[in-house]
Every structure is written in structure tokens, then in C-alpha cells.
Amino acid sequence: MYVPTFWHAFWTRRQAIADGGRSYPASDSPHLSETETKNMERTESTRWKSVRAFNSEAASLGQQRAQSIRDRHELDVEWKAISSRAGRTEPLIHVGVFWFYAIGLLIALGEAALNSVAFTVFASNPIEAFLMGFVLGVVLLVIAEFAGTKIRQWPTDVPWYRHATHALKVTAALFLVGITLHGVQWLRAQYVAAEGSSTSLGAGLDSALYAVNWIIFAGTMVLAYRSSDPVEGFVDTKTKLAKVDEKLVVLAGKLDRAKTDLIAEIGVDENVCRQLLFLYRRANRRSRPSGNPAPDYFDNPKAEQHRPSFRPLSFTEKDGTISATLVEIGGEPQSSTTLVTDKAAIVAQPQPTEAPTIQALPTAIPMPPPSSTSHGTFRRAQLQ
């Protein structure tokens, strides 16, 4: 965005006074002065910088959008297969994700408090014993979640070896828990016997602690069973699909904001340039000798250079990527001193080429409407 400094305004006014003192531009001149032309060139350069910055950002967003569309297409194919196999579109779970992790955290903390009694003989203070028990509780929670989910998603209508593989996974999880709990109990007994510790709970209480851990493990398996869908990948695929759709909406919003910002920046640039032109003409008119009036275009609204036009801003869309450019007026090459629009509003031209979209994809990016009376009209102005 072009923001004039005090020096720009001071320089413009100084040049206007100098030009007016020598009756420049001439009273019958239809062309802009050198100072006006330089201000317009500066504005034109700034507007092109804004356009290039937008195109760079739009290209990056377009690449992300294209990748997200490809990901969504793959997930959509996978989701249709899974939902068709399940015969439904909503997950069949009884415990939500939030409650599963909330209850799981309470179970882990309870396991830490319970097993800290057994780990007291290994730790020099209660905090270390609690941390040991907490780690064991988390391990049991993870294994219980794995076993409960596998039981919930037991395959049907599959060859016998698939059943055998599934049963082997569940058995391995149960065996791992059993060997872990038994190993803790045995290691504690050996340590107490070797050290002669007075913190022994006795064989009965050690066995009770072992049984309680198994009960907690079984309860966690039931929790995992109730929080899992019978069809493997049902919830994960649905969640991924929702995240991709959300990302596409976010990308579309970012692109819309970038377009709005570009239109506003270019509009501000035009207004600033017109303010400098007004400053130049007022100072030039006041400093001219008597008998040498200012050029007609200074005050005549019908004169071609009274309010010089700017290149209109145009947006084009191709392969999901939007780009902007300052188009030429009338199909002829524009000089570098020609500005762009009539007011702060820039109207995006409609693009006939539509980017490919996926059905039900909530990411259509609306293009701004064509020029209307509220936006003004574009006028051609060649600077000689």
C-alpha cells in the first residue's frame, strides 16, 4: 500500500509552486505535468507490488487447496466403501472420545495411587513411587484400549486365519498385561526378601493388589469396547474427512480475505494519488502569474485528464488457483503512467473457466459481481 510521507506531499507542493511560477503546464496544454505523471507512476508501481504479493499468496493457498481436494477425493472413496460395508453413516459408539479420555485419566491416576504402595520399596520418596505407579497405569490403559478395540472390531465373514490373527493379537495383549503384573509382584517380593524391608504387605495383600489390577484392566477394556465402532476405520475416516472439509473452508476464507485486502489497498492507493494531484493543482493555480490561467483539465470535470483513469483489477481462476492482474484498457498497450480505476472500488471480472470441484464440497469461492452503478465506470486515459 502506498502511504505518502510528509516528504511526498512537501515535494509535490514545492514542484507545483515552481511549475506555477513559470506558467507550467501551459494554459492550453491537454497533458499532465511531469510532477503529476511521477506521482501516478509511483502509485502504479505500488499497485503492481500489491498484485504480485497477492498472486504469491494466492498461489500458495491454491497449492494447499489442490492438495486438500486430492486428499478429500481419496478419503471420499474410502468413506463410501466403509459406510457401504457398515450400512450406515453415523458411528455406533456409546462412550464419546472426551469421556473415554477423561475416565481413562482418572483410571491412570487411580492406578498410580494404588500401585504406589507396591513401588514404595523401590523408591526413596512417595513422589517416585507415585510416578512409577502412574507409568504402570498408563501402560495398562494403552494395552486395555488396544484389546477392547480389537474385540469390538472382531471381523465377520472372513477366512479362519483372519479370526486366528485377531485372536492372537488379543491374546498377546492379555499375556503382556499378565506378565507385567506378575513381574512387578515377583520383583517386589525378591527385593523385600533381599533387603529385609519392613514395608512388605504380605502374600495375601500382594495377591489382592494383583487381582485389583486385573479388574481395573478388565474395566478399561470394557470402556474401550463401548467407545469403539464395530467397523474398523469408520470413525477415523469420518473424522479425517471432516477435517479436510474444514481446512478447505479455511483456505477459501483466507483467499477471500486476501482478495478483499487487495481491493482495499488498491483503492487507497488511488485515493492517495488523487489527493496528491489535488494538492499539486491547487498550489500550481495559486502560484501562477496573473493572465496565465491554469490548464482547463485542472477544473473542468469533462476534460480527459481531470480525473485520469487507472487500470482495472481483474481476477482469473484456473485449476483452483486465483490470480490478479491490472488489465490493459481497450486492448492496447498501456503506458506506465496510466492509473487504474475511478474510485476505491475495484471490480473483479467474471472468469468463464471454472475450477473443478468435488460434489458436496463446501468450498466454492464466489467471485465478485460485475461492475454496477455503485462501483462507477472505468474510463480510458492515455497519457501522452
Side-chain angles (χ1 to χ4, degrees):
M1 181 183 299
Y2 172 51
V3 180
T5 63
F6 171 79
W7 165 249
H8 292 147
F10 175 79
W11 176 82
T12 299
R13 187 174 183 276
R14 181 185 177 187
Q15 293 296 117
I17 294 174
D19 291 347
R22 57 190 180 96
S23 300
Y24 173 81
S27 301
D28 58 349
S29 174
H31 308 307
L32 298 179
S33 66
E34 181 180 356
T35 302
E36 291 175 297
T37 300
K38 287 183 178 179
N39 278 323
M40 295 169 65
E41 288 176 341
R42 184 185 297 113
T43 302
E44 183 77 355
S45 175
T46 303
R47 297 171 75 254
W48 273 113
K49 289 180 181 178
S50 299
V51 169
R52 286 192 292 267
F54 169 82
N55 288 339
S56 177
E57 181 180 3
S60 176
L61 293 175
Q63 292 176 358
Q64 297 179 49
R65 182 174 182 271
Q67 182 60 47
S68 297
I69 290 177
R70 289 192 293 268
D71 294 342
R72 192 191 189 283
H73 179 70
E74 296 175 358
L75 289 172
D76 190 59
V77 173
E78 183 179 353
W79 167 247
K80 288 180 179 178
I82 292 177
S83 59
S84 177
R85 185 170 68 251
R88 51 190 167 82
T89 58
E90 296 298 326
L92 186 61
I93 58 178
H94 304 283
V95 180
V97 176
F98 171 79
W99 287 110
F100 172 77
Y101 284 107
I103 297 173
L105 179 61
L106 293 177
I107 291 175
L109 293 175
E111 277 280 293
L114 176 68
N115 291 308
S116 62
V117 178
F119 285 110
T120 304
V121 296
F122 303 114
S124 58
N125 58 69
I127 296 179
E128 293 180 358
F130 183 84
L131 290 176
M132 293 179 184
F134 183 75
V135 172
L136 178 61
V138 171
V139 171
L140 294 180
L141 178 65
V142 172
I143 298 176
E145 193 273 338
F146 173 81
T149 302
K150 289 299 179 183
I151 294 175
R152 175 66 164 168
Q153 297 175 350
W154 200 279
T156 57
D157 300 330
V158 294
W160 65 269
Y161 59 85
R162 292 286 303 276
H163 288 284
T165 303
H166 220 72
L168 183 62
K169 293 178 181 178
V170 176
T171 303
L174 298 176
F175 177 78
L176 183 60
V177 172
I179 201 67
T180 300
L181 295 178
H182 183 75
V184 171
Q185 184 183 23
W186 178 84
L187 183 61
R188 184 180 184 282
Q190 295 298 318
Y191 188 86
V192 169
E195 298 292 331
S197 174
S198 59
T199 59
S200 175
L201 301 176
L205 290 179
D206 279 346
S207 299
L209 189 64
Y210 179 77
V212 169
N213 274 293
W214 267 111
I215 294 173
I216 294 175
F217 177 80
T220 309
M221 282 183 58
V222 173
L223 178 65
Y225 181 91
R226 301 283 291 177
S227 63
S228 302
D229 190 272
V231 178
E232 185 176 0
F234 189 98
V235 176
D236 291 342
T237 304
K238 187 177 179 66
T239 302
K240 291 178 181 178
L241 196 58
K243 288 183 177 180
V244 171
D245 286 342
E246 182 181 357
K247 182 178 181 180
L248 286 169
V249 172
V250 170
L251 291 174
K254 288 183 177 180
L255 189 56
D256 284 340
R257 286 193 296 272
K259 290 171 59 179
T260 302
D261 292 344
L262 176 63
I263 292 172
E265 287 183 10
I266 286 184
V268 170
D269 291 340
E270 296 171 10
N271 286 337
V272 168
C273 182
R274 297 194 190 284
Q275 291 174 12
L276 292 176
L277 293 181
F278 173 79
L279 175 64
Y280 174 87
R281 293 172 183 179
R282 183 180 62 180
N284 183 284
R285 187 187 303 109
R286 291 177 177 177
S287 61
R288 299 178 76 92
S290 59
N292 290 298
D296 179 64
Y297 74 84
F298 271 29
D299 303 299
N300 184 6
K302 296 182 180 180
E304 183 179 10
Q305 299 295 358
H306 178 72
R307 190 177 180 86
S309 298
F310 297 90
R311 291 187 183 188
L313 177 65
S314 174
F315 292 101
T316 58
E317 183 175 359
K318 182 178 181 181
D319 298 331
T321 300
I322 293 180
S323 60
T325 187
L326 301 177
V327 300
E328 298 175 353
I329 301 177
E332 299 178 2
Q334 285 291 102
S335 65
S336 60
T337 56
T338 304
L339 296 184
V340 188
T341 64
D342 187 37
K343 288 185 181 179
I346 309 292
V347 180
Q349 304 298 321
Q351 171 63 22
T353 304
E354 296 293 335
T357 57
I358 296 178
Q359 186 176 5
L361 188 64
T363 55
I365 302 176
M367 296 298 290
S371 301
S372 63
T373 55
S374 62
H375 289 85
T377 57
F378 295 119
R379 299 185 301 170
R380 178 178 178 180
Q382 289 288 346
L383 303 182
Q384 303 297 331

